[in-house]
Amino acid sequence: MSAPLISVIIPVYNRFELVKEAISTVIGQTYQNFELIIVDDGSTDMTPVIKTYFSNESRVRYLRINHSGMPGFVRNTGVLQSSGKYLAFLDSDDLWMGNKLEKQVDFLESNSAYK
């Protein structure tokens, strides 16, 4: 299987209810050639249960690390695990419009400066 064009990274810490919605907005994108990497910064709430909600989705990976309290470290952990040509970051309490990735890929792929 070829690498996805986009690696979406969601860092999360103790946001079980919110991250479920954020993940759903990624999975529901009109553009589907992506991988989603959820990096859990050692949550103490029910966040680790999130991996069971999306266990049937092969594009979703859940990584749990020891709590660092450093958002940049958590994001970079996701970057190191990514395989896409482009990176997209989504905060665990944010949502995306359904065609966000499609519009961004269209722009990036049609402008030679980004190829």
Side-chain angles (χ1 to χ4, degrees), residues 3-8 33 35 37 81-87:
L5 187 62
I6 302 172
S7 295
V8 179
N33 187 14
E35 67 178 344
I37 303 168
Q81 295 295 314
S82 68
S83 59
K85 176 180 178 181
Y86 302 117
L87 297 173

Side-chain angles (χ1 to χ4, degrees), residues 13-14 40-44 64-70 73-74:
Y13 178 70
N14 286 347
D40 182 351
D41 189 23
S43 294
T44 58
R64 183 173 170 85
I65 62 174
N66 291 328
H67 181 65
S68 70
M70 298 184 298
F73 177 80
V74 180

Side-chain angles (χ1 to χ4, degrees), residues 6 24-34 59 96-106:
I6 302 172
S24 293
T25 67
V26 175
I27 291 173
Q29 290 292 301
T30 55
Y31 185 84
Q32 293 285 301
N33 187 14
F34 65 83
R59 295 171 299 175
W96 281 353
M97 299 297 290
N99 62 349
K100 177 202 187 320
L101 290 179
E102 180 181 3
K103 286 187 173 200
Q104 288 184 318
V105 167
D106 286 347

Side-chain angles (χ1 to χ4, degrees), residues 45-98:
D45 67 352
M46 290 190 52
T47 299
V49 174
I50 208 71
K51 63 186 169 200
T52 63
Y53 281 71
F54 302 97
S55 61
N56 63 336
E57 183 59 61
S58 62
R59 295 171 299 175
V60 177
R61 283 191 287 155
Y62 171 86
L63 304 173
R64 183 173 170 85
I65 62 174
N66 291 328
H67 181 65
S68 70
M70 298 184 298
F73 177 80
V74 180
R75 284 177 181 248
N76 287 338
T77 298
V79 170
L80 292 173
Q81 295 295 314
S82 68
S83 59
K85 176 180 178 181
Y86 302 117
L87 297 173
F89 296 97
L90 175 61
D91 290 337
S92 60
D93 62 346
D94 286 342
L95 307 175
W96 281 353
M97 299 297 290

